[in-house]
Amino acid sequence: MRTSWFDKTRQRFGRPEGAPQGWKSTLVDWNQSSRARQTLRRSSPTLLFRISRQVAESMIDTAFEIRPAAETDIDEIVHFNQRLAKETEDKDLDIGVLRTGVANLLADSRIGNYWVAIHDSAPVGQIMVTTEWSDWRNGFFWWIQSVYVVPNWRKRGVFRALYDTVRNAAHTHDAVGLRLYVEKENVAAIATYEALGMKEPGYRMMEVDFKEVEAAC
């Protein structure tokens, strides 16, 4: 039985652990583009080999895995939250308060949970979840918070993998749904969430920050 290019590539490189959804279909699409490959084979065998190798290597290079965050991830999570606040709200967070807040959550899953995306042993993205009880629905909503992906890993499937991990975990724990809040001006983020099937429920978020009130007195 003849072995296809895709099968040879898979045998050579193996399946990247934690590879983003769709990595295989990308290779399959290229493998099934027989007309393009036949044309290249006749006109430039070297170019065909080069493209084939680049496709395979790009899949390996973008491999990452999603796992629950550990207490040893605190430095990266604190840094990600600093960057998140600066990029989205132009805020400089109190590093002491932030680090204590992250440490408390990592030490007590009753507060919430972090998941991190890992590439080459280093975090490249994060997502946090807290819960809210709904008496109307007799169940918990899971609130998605503190979403951050490092710039050079954006649009490479990291957020989608983090989101899918949370969504699947929420289903497993019988959550009634997912919620999040997003800056009104963050058009790109809103479009991303809408593409995942999320929508505005018709509420406006209101708050009172006790520390701000005390500072104003």
Side-chain angles (χ1 to χ4, degrees):
M1 182 177 179
R2 185 177 179 182
T3 303
S4 70
W5 175 86
F6 173 70
D7 289 331
K8 289 180 180 178
T9 302
R10 182 170 54 187
Q11 291 167 7
R12 178 181 177 188
F13 292 99
R15 185 185 189 284
E17 181 181 355
Q21 185 177 11
W23 76 275
K24 184 182 289 186
S25 64
T26 302
L27 294 180
V28 170
D29 289 344
W30 170 247
N31 184 55
Q32 292 177 346
S33 301
S34 57
R35 182 177 301 176
R37 289 188 295 108
Q38 289 171 4
T39 300
L40 278 173
R41 185 178 293 113
R42 288 193 298 267
S43 61
S44 179
T46 302
L47 180 58
L48 173 63
F49 171 76
R50 189 179 304 157
I51 293 175
S52 301
R53 185 177 64 182
Q54 287 175 351
V55 169
E57 289 179 349
S58 69
M59 295 301 102
I60 303 301
D61 181 60
T62 58
F64 57 86
E65 64 175 345
I66 308 297
R67 64 163 173 78
E71 292 186 38
T72 52
D73 296 314
I74 187 170
D75 289 338
E76 288 81 3
I77 292 174
V78 168
H79 176 67
F80 287 171
N81 278 296
Q82 286 180 294
R83 295 305 313 152
L84 174 63
K86 191 65 176 177
E87 291 178 20
T88 60
E89 302 181 38
D90 195 28
K91 287 185 178 180
D92 295 310
L93 300 181
D94 183 312
I95 185 65
V97 173
L98 172 60
R99 189 175 185 87
T100 301
V102 173
N104 284 335
L105 185 144
L106 291 174
D108 187 353
S109 61
R110 293 174 299 178
I111 299 175
N113 293 277
Y114 271 105
W115 282 266
V116 288
I118 302 295
H119 171 71
D120 196 21
S121 301
V124 295
Q126 69 176 32
I127 193 168
M128 187 185 86
V129 167
T130 57
T131 60
E132 173 197 21
W133 178 255
S134 172
D135 51 355
W136 287 12
R137 296 170 177 82
N138 188 35
F140 284 102
F141 270 102
W142 282 27
W143 277 84
I144 293 174
Q145 302 181 60
S146 300
V147 176
Y148 188 78
V149 177
V150 298
N152 62 323
W153 276 86
R154 294 171 188 173
K155 297 184 179 180
R156 297 171 70 176
V158 175
F159 170 70
R160 181 56 189 260
L162 288 164
Y163 176 85
D164 286 346
T165 298
V166 167
R167 184 184 176 92
N168 292 337
H171 275 297
T172 300
H173 289 82
D174 297 322
V176 299
L178 300 175
R179 283 178 171 170
L180 56 79
Y181 51 85
V182 58
E183 290 287 313
K184 296 187 293 292
E185 295 79 13
N186 197 339
V187 178
I190 292 172
T192 297
Y193 299 140
E194 288 178 339
L196 294 171
M198 304 190 82
K199 59 184 180 181
E200 282 194 65
Y203 305 122
R204 294 186 67 177
M205 185 175 178
M206 311 292 288
E207 74 169 28
V208 55
D209 187 317
F210 293 143
K211 288 189 176 181
E212 289 183 358
V213 172
E214 292 171 359
C217 293

